[in-house]
Amino acid sequence: MSGKRQPPRPRDRIIGARLRAIRKERTDLSLEAAAKLLGWGLATMSRIENGKRVIDTEEVAMMLTVYGIPADERRDIIAEARAENASGWWDRPLPGVPAEVGTLASYAVDADSLTDWAVTLVPGLLQIEDYAMALILSLGWSREVAELRWLARRRRQQILGTVEYGAYISETALRTPFGGAVTHRRQLSHLLDARDRGISVRVVPEHLPLGLISHSWLYMTFPTTTPVVNIEVAEGGVYLHDDQAEPYAKVLIKLEQSALSTAESQTMLRSILKEA
């Protein structure tokens, strides 16, 4: 099986979750019984359903046949799986841009909602070019590499408007004039205008004693599988799934309760912009 030779992709979680749901809802087969009928090992079957290996369309077709799915429906599901396996720009990384950027974009394109929590910086999806360039250059990269990384970030921002997106941003991040005073004002104005683009921006006042807010993260939900949390680290990211992601759902509730309302957040942003 080709999946053994390649690392799983974010979309394999989506495909695996759908196949697991079909087995449980449309058949009486246990995981062990399905694996035996397919002639696969139990470990392989488990990894497929949990998206921990690459799943090709031939394997999808075999599973649907064994599960007795009607031919017309089977063709539709296989076509969807083939489309999900199609390459996007994230499969062709730019030179000097970490592969992690593509992985994150691949997750985002399959999500039905994204929620950012930003502690010290404006979230990447809401950064303007001057702000992002100042941030990237501060890490010691050349301008050429910085421009490529901004291009990758700009491509990620194209998801906005196609998926439900909201951001909780610490007051600390908003008061930090990253890139200088002019860039700071333009970035604040960009956040103020976000509401007109259907984007929710909520400000979390400084010095609130909330747990799990000492680091920034992105909470992603999906139509057919459990949420995934991305935590940014130097030159990459960590992805939390299933039980590891559950605590962040509770923190989102606390953020909802602690953050200023949308109207209050707009007032705060205008106040900080006036001070800047």
Side-chain angles (χ1 to χ4, degrees):
M1 292 185 180
S2 61
K4 292 182 178 179
R5 300 179 181 178
Q6 305 172 44
R9 304 150 302 183
R11 291 187 173 191
D12 291 311
R13 283 181 57 84
I14 309 295
I15 298 171
R18 184 169 190 185
L19 292 170
R20 181 173 64 247
I22 290 173
R23 175 179 62 80
K24 290 184 174 182
E25 297 171 7
R26 306 281 292 274
T27 81
D28 296 324
L29 295 171
S30 65
L31 187 68
E32 293 84 353
K36 185 175 181 180
L37 284 173
L38 287 159
W40 299 344
L42 180 59
T44 295
M45 191 71 188
S46 177
R47 289 175 64 80
I48 286 175
E49 287 198 354
N50 288 290
K52 295 183 177 179
R53 68 187 297 284
V54 170
I55 308 170
D56 61 38
T57 51
E58 181 180 347
E59 292 165 348
V60 173
M62 291 173 63
M63 295 173 75
L64 296 176
T65 300
V66 166
Y67 295 161
I69 303 303
D72 289 347
E73 184 179 355
R74 191 164 66 240
R75 281 194 295 270
D76 290 343
I77 296 173
I78 292 169
E80 290 176 9
R82 185 175 291 114
E84 288 175 344
N85 285 330
S87 295
W89 66 261
W90 46 85
D91 293 318
R92 300 181 293 277
L94 295 166
V97 178
E100 149 65 15
V101 174
T103 301
L104 184 56
S106 184
Y107 268 113
V109 79
D110 288 318
D112 56 10
S113 76
L114 306 172
T115 305
D116 257 315
W117 161 235
V119 180
T120 58
L121 296 168
V122 171
L125 288 173
L126 295 177
Q127 291 176 5
I128 62 171
E129 181 175 358
D130 289 347
Y131 185 100
M133 286 292 291
L135 170 60
I136 299 167
L137 289 170
S138 75
L139 298 175
W141 296 105
S142 67
R143 177 159 291 276
E144 179 181 5
V145 170
E147 289 174 350
L148 287 171
R149 293 195 173 204
W150 160 247
L151 176 59
R153 186 162 303 181
R154 185 69 188 90
R155 286 177 175 178
R156 276 191 60 219
Q157 292 178 353
Q158 292 173 3
I159 196 70
L160 298 178
T162 68
V163 64
E164 181 181 346
Y165 174 75
Y168 293 95
I169 307 178
S170 167
E171 182 182 344
T172 302
L174 297 173
R175 293 189 178 280
T176 303
F178 219 100
V182 173
T183 295
H184 187 209
R185 289 194 293 271
R186 291 185 60 238
Q187 180 64 73
L188 290 170
S189 296
H190 185 69
L191 295 176
L192 273 167
D193 294 340
R195 186 173 64 174
D196 297 334
R197 304 194 303 276
I199 297 171
S200 171
V201 174
R202 302 273 302 278
V203 178
V204 177
E206 292 177 314
H207 312 308
L208 285 182
L210 293 175
L212 285 180
I213 65 166
S214 60
H215 57 277
S216 299
W217 38 266
L218 175 65
Y219 188 86
M220 300 175 278
T221 65
F222 303 87
T224 59
T225 190
T226 55
V228 176
V229 176
N230 169 256
I231 300 174
E232 291 187 21
V233 297
E235 290 306 295
V238 175
Y239 292 91
L240 306 180
H241 306 97
D242 305 321
D243 293 346
Q244 292 180 318
E246 285 183 6
Y248 290 83
K250 297 177 182 178
V251 179
L252 279 177
I253 295 174
K254 292 183 179 179
L255 285 171
E256 168 70 24
Q257 296 169 344
S258 304
L260 300 178
S261 68
T262 301
E264 291 170 334
S265 295
Q266 289 274 302
T267 300
M268 170 74 80
L269 283 165
R270 291 191 187 95
S271 175
I272 298 173
L273 177 58
K274 186 177 181 180
E275 295 172 7

